[in-house]
Amino acid sequence: MAPPNESVVHGSSGAPRTAPGQAGASLAQAKDIPAVDRVLRLPRIATRVAQNGRTLVVAAVRAQMDAWRSAVRDGHLTTGGLTDEALSDAIEARVEHALRPRMRSVLNLTGTVIHTNLGRALLADSALHHLLAVMAGPNNLEYDLATGSRGDRDSVVEELLCTLTGAEAATVVNNNAAAVLLTIAALARDREVIVSRGELVEIGGAFRMPDVMASAGANMIEVGTTNRTHLHDYERAITERTALLMKVHTSNYAVQGFTSSVDEATLATLAHSRGLPVATDLGSGALVDLAQWGLPHEPTPQEMLRAGCDVVTFSGDKLLGGPQAGLIVGSKAAIGRIRKFPMKRALRMSKLPLAALEATLRLYLQPERLTQDLPTLRHLTRPPAQIEATAQILAPAFAQAVSPRFTVSVVALMSQIGSGSLPVDRLPSAGLRVAPAATLRKGIGRALDELATALRALPRPIIGRIADDTLCLDLRCVDDAEDVLVQLPDLRRLLLADAGNPNIA
Ligand SMILES: *Cc1c(COP(=O)(O)O)cnc(C)c1O
């Protein structure tokens, strides 16, 4: 059994290490723990000091000393755990652990393409290259190269956004939640916003429309019922205190059956006849019609603007396929008020996502190339036959890596778009189904947990989905089967390390 002091230390593979050579050794005493200076003179540790500097290595040695002392107190440490090799292993492992980034690249095999917990949209190559090109040195973020005077960071993307959506003006903030908050605050602070009861959405991360209205300092007037709202409901609610009519695209749920809502064009006609603006929060907001690829249609900002909406807000890292951002497009008058509102400064976008957003939007100037160049659309439009071909390549090697404890089969699966978009629509996909072998049926749940844990402990963790007593690995988002194949020897090693556990076999 590994002593508890070792259980806090992990090697570069992420697998717990056991100190070697302990069997048969006698229990260590406090006097057996070497002095810091002696540890620092060990050849491997001296090399570490030269490579990583004294500060980090001494901190690792001190932390390890503490761990050894408490292990000695608990009678968990043998003298075999204090050989020069064991000392060097433990300290090197601590140094590596300290230097290893907590935010790491993973493989998303969950079947949810835009996965909020896994960082949502993946950046396109052109966006990554643009980031590298402009972030290493100074750039013209707020500097007008034509005139040599101060510029506005919005102008990096405003023209592009207007070209792509047909808007008169555009501005951008940190995320779409900020875009909605800013829009309501700028257009309706201390006044009333009319919204349908059927559209008071909550999305993940504690974003609830009524709370956003309150935070923005607006008074929310709910009209209609959960399933039905009519034009006269809005009409009757309009008073001299009204500042804004609001539509929210209910992207993450569907109300079905006896339902009725007022479309944007009808609402805009009413609003404009009373001199009021209409704002629509689209949430995901695709910039192109997804139906052209056989995907479910998602309303576009273009459609909303054509319908007469004065402001449309949507996310940068959902269907758009870019970085976290909140995009606000609309009329010159409305966008002008939003841009000048003081809260805008607190919600402004950083130069990093702004550069990535510009490069992503530029891809939309060549829409014919989008399904190749934009990872989100590439993954959403990947033909099931191509996904199955990847599954066929991986299945035999995967089966070998997890045998004999698990069996592997190629199966048809259903992927989801994710991130609050189109919850009722699922995309035919394919992948691997990994099931505990028939002889191990006793502890199925435990065996699956062990497998999922081993997959997460890989150098590039693989995140799957447990369903129906199996682990499903949806291969829609795997661009290169090699990313999985190269890790199979590590997977086998991790599973074998667990194999001694009688609860599993
Ligand atoms: C996702 C979403 C938001 C929030 O967007 P973020 O970019 O995550 O801040 C707001 N409204 C709707 C309808 C959404 O779907």
Side-chain angles (χ1 to χ4, degrees), residues 274-457:
R274 308 293 179 88
L276 293 168
V278 174
T280 293
D281 174 26
L282 272 188
S284 210
L287 271 183
V288 283
D289 182 6
L290 299 181
Q292 64 185 296
W293 297 294
L295 293 165
H297 176 77
E298 178 83 356
T300 64
Q302 299 84 295
E303 289 165 11
M304 296 295 118
L305 292 168
R306 273 201 302 272
C309 292
D310 301 86
V311 180
V312 184
T313 58
F314 53 106
S315 267
D317 56 356
K318 292 183 179 172
L319 282 168
L320 190 123
Q324 179 184 303
L327 291 77
I328 312 176
V329 297
S331 68
K332 267 209 163 68
I335 298 295
R337 285 170 66 191
I338 290 168
R339 185 179 283 138
K340 281 202 285 287
F341 197 73
M343 189 191 280
K344 164 76 163 54
R345 173 63 180 77
L347 303 175
R348 78 177 183 189
M349 246 178 120
S350 143
K351 62 182 178 177
L352 270 136
L354 191 57
L357 179 63
E358 182 193 1
T360 305
L361 290 173
R362 240 170 248 296
L363 291 176
Y364 282 87
L365 296 177
Q366 305 171 69
E368 296 82 3
R369 298 190 45 90
L370 279 174
T371 56
Q372 287 157 261
D373 295 347
L374 199 65
T376 300
L377 275 180
R378 184 167 70 234
H379 293 159
L380 287 175
T381 60
R382 177 164 288 164
Q386 199 183 328
I387 307 171
E388 200 203 313
T390 307
Q392 296 292 359
I393 292 171
L394 284 176
F398 208 97
Q400 217 169 21
V402 299
S403 78
R405 289 166 60 196
F406 300 93
T407 59
V408 175
S409 47
V410 173
V411 288
L413 295 170
M414 287 299 225
S415 315
Q416 289 188 41
I417 295 176
S419 255
S421 23
L422 322 155
V424 288
D425 295 299
R426 303 186 132 231
L427 315 174
S429 184
L432 304 181
R433 174 166 285 156
V434 191
T439 52
L440 312 177
R441 285 268 158 210
K442 260 204 278 176
I444 294 179
R446 192 172 209 133
L448 287 174
D449 279 347
E450 293 283 341
L451 177 63
T453 304
L455 287 166
R456 289 198 308 272

Side-chain angles (χ1 to χ4, degrees), residues 120 175-177 203 207 248-249 251 281 283-284 315 317-318 325:
R120 288 195 183 163
N175 52 36
N176 189 39
I203 61 157
F207 176 98
V248 184
H249 180 52
S251 53
D281 174 26
S284 210
S315 267
D317 56 356
K318 292 183 179 172

Side-chain angles (χ1 to χ4, degrees), residues 104-109 117-118 122 456 459-463:
R104 291 164 61 197
S105 171
V106 306
L107 290 171
N108 173 11
L109 272 57
N117 301 150
L118 303 181
L122 314 185
R456 289 198 308 272
R460 191 166 173 201
I462 291 178
I463 318 292

Side-chain angles (χ1 to χ4, degrees), residues 65-122:
M65 295 286 166
D66 288 345
W68 277 323
R69 266 182 226 113
S70 68
V72 164
R73 264 198 308 278
D74 299 344
H76 284 313
L77 190 63
T78 63
T79 50
L82 289 174
T83 60
D84 285 357
E85 199 197 343
L87 293 174
S88 306
D89 280 350
I91 287 155
E92 285 203 314
R94 274 189 191 270
V95 170
E96 278 167 27
H97 184 71
L99 290 176
R100 194 173 62 172
R102 297 298 176 267
M103 191 189 273
R104 291 164 61 197
S105 171
V106 306
L107 290 171
N108 173 11
L109 272 57
T110 61
T112 300
V113 176
I114 310 170
H115 198 303
T116 294
N117 301 150
L118 303 181
R120 288 195 183 163
L122 314 185

Side-chain angles (χ1 to χ4, degrees), residues 47-276:
T47 307
R48 279 288 172 178
V49 171
Q51 271 173 6
N52 303 104
R54 229 184 125 74
T55 308
L56 179 65
V57 179
V58 169
V61 172
R62 294 234 154 90
Q64 189 58 38
M65 295 286 166
D66 288 345
W68 277 323
R69 266 182 226 113
S70 68
V72 164
R73 264 198 308 278
D74 299 344
H76 284 313
L77 190 63
T78 63
T79 50
L82 289 174
T83 60
D84 285 357
E85 199 197 343
L87 293 174
S88 306
D89 280 350
I91 287 155
E92 285 203 314
R94 274 189 191 270
V95 170
E96 278 167 27
H97 184 71
L99 290 176
R100 194 173 62 172
R102 297 298 176 267
M103 191 189 273
R104 291 164 61 197
S105 171
V106 306
L107 290 171
N108 173 11
L109 272 57
T110 61
T112 300
V113 176
I114 310 170
H115 198 303
T116 294
N117 301 150
L118 303 181
R120 288 195 183 163
L122 314 185
L123 290 184
D125 285 343
S126 64
L128 296 171
H129 290 143
H130 191 51
L131 277 174
L132 277 179
V134 297
M135 285 307 137
N139 55 52
N140 62 332
L141 178 67
E142 290 185 356
Y143 184 78
D144 186 336
L145 289 172
T147 62
S149 56
R150 191 179 193 289
D152 180 342
R153 66 177 66 203
D154 274 1
S155 59
V156 173
V157 290
E158 182 172 17
E159 194 185 316
L160 259 174
L161 275 171
C162 291
T163 305
L164 295 171
T165 64
E168 288 174 9
T171 183
V172 285
V173 287
N174 221 343
N175 52 36
N176 189 39
V180 176
L181 178 71
L182 177 63
T183 298
I184 296 169
L187 301 183
R189 182 170 215 119
D190 298 327
R191 299 182 63 201
E192 291 179 357
V193 181
I194 302 174
V195 63
S196 160
R197 278 207 171 83
E199 297 174 9
L200 296 178
V201 302
E202 170 180 319
I203 61 157
F207 176 98
R208 293 173 142 195
M209 199 43 81
D211 299 340
V212 175
M213 296 264 184
S215 303
N219 191 4
M220 183 175 77
I221 306 296
E222 302 169 42
V223 297
T225 60
T226 304
N227 57 329
R228 287 171 75 83
T229 301
H230 308 285
L231 187 64
H232 57 76
D233 292 324
Y234 290 95
E235 213 165 358
R236 280 192 213 129
I238 295 175
T239 67
E240 72 284 356
R241 294 180 300 276
T242 308
L244 179 68
L245 305 194
M246 178 104 195
K247 284 283 288 180
V248 184
H249 180 52
T250 55
S251 53
N252 60 355
Y253 67 97
V255 180
Q256 285 169 342
F258 187 54
T259 66
S260 165
S261 64
V262 179
D263 66 31
E264 285 77 9
T266 311
L267 198 62
T269 306
L270 168 66
H272 296 165
S273 75
R274 308 293 179 88
L276 293 168

